[in-house]
Structures are given as structure tokens and as C-alpha cells.
Amino acid sequence: MGAILVDPASNAVISTGANGPICAHDPTAHAEIVAMRRAATALQNYRLTGLTLYVTLEPCAMCAGAISHARIGRVVWAADDPKGGAVLHGPRLFEQPTCHWRPATEWGLLAEEASSLLKSFFRQRRGTAAGGGR
């Protein structure tokens, strides 16, 4: 999975991130978190106000919480995640009264393509893990 943070005023890419919990030995190394860490370092500010986060899959609870704390202005994702998503599914974090910041949200951008790529990726990973892959 991937994420990219963009400044909508200039269309400048501030940072990118790829999913890396396994190779980084870090359960928090989701693509969104990696992109937010890089953006905060680049901007020298933990507030990422006004930026737009584009991500492959609906953010999980951890990522949605970090998005709220970072005050990201807008989140756009391609594929919904009924099992692990936390924006439209599960806890619907941005709708909770305790949520500090509610970004604008948009979804479904290239949804079929993203869903197909993600399913293929995870099918291949499961095959490799089970000894059926390369």
C-alpha cells in the first residue's frame, strides 16, 4: 500500500510512504504513518494542516487517529476496507465526539483498480508465506 501527502495550494508532493511493518519490524509503519513522519520532518512541524493525504486503502484506526492529531485537511483513498477500515467502517473515528480534528474525506478514486491490485498483492504474499510463491 502507498500514501502521498500533497500541498493542494501548490500541488507539491511533500512526502510519500509505503507499507513497511514487516521489513521495518515496526507495527506502526503503515504507509500513512510513514508519509506523515516524513512530511513532519520536512516541514519541521507535527501539524500538517491543509495538506491532502492520498492513500490506497481506507485508513485503519491507528492511521485515522494520527491523521486527526496531525490536522491533515483532506484524506482521499481508493479502496474501502470493511474489515480494517476506521473511517467509513468499524469505529468511524472521525464521527466520534472525542475526535480532535475531522478532515474532509473522499473515497472511491480508482477503487476497482486499487482493490484489484491489493487483492493480487495479498494473494501473492499468502502464497509466498505458505511456500507456494517464488
Side-chain angles (χ1 to χ4, degrees):
M1 291 184 290
I4 183 169
L5 270 161
V6 175
D7 179 351
S10 64
N11 285 329
V13 173
I14 305 301
S15 67
T16 62
N19 223 34
I22 294 170
C23 61
H25 308 291
D26 179 357
T28 68
H30 290 196
E32 300 94 322
I33 301 293
V34 172
M36 285 187 278
R37 285 179 182 153
R38 289 177 178 166
T41 298
L43 299 174
Q44 292 294 287
N45 194 339
Y46 74 104
R47 298 279 196 221
L48 304 175
T49 309
L51 298 183
T52 298
L53 174 66
Y54 294 93
V55 64
T56 312
L57 190 64
E58 177 183 354
C60 70
M62 175 184 67
C63 294
I67 289 164
S68 175
H69 283 282
R71 308 294 198 263
I72 288 175
R74 183 170 158 238
V75 182
V76 180
W77 66 89
D80 289 344
D81 186 2
K83 185 176 176 184
V87 180
L88 292 179
H89 301 89
R92 296 178 177 239
L93 192 105
F94 299 144
E95 295 176 21
Q96 298 306 311
T98 55
C99 184
H100 300 297
W101 175 261
R102 292 165 181 85
T105 57
E106 189 177 325
W107 58 92
L109 181 69
L110 301 172
E112 287 184 35
E113 294 89 337
S115 180
S116 177
L117 285 170
L118 286 166
K119 286 176 184 173
S120 174
F121 171 79
F122 285 113
R123 190 171 25 254
Q124 185 178 25
R125 295 280 300 185
R126 283 189 295 274
T128 301
R134 292 183 240 178

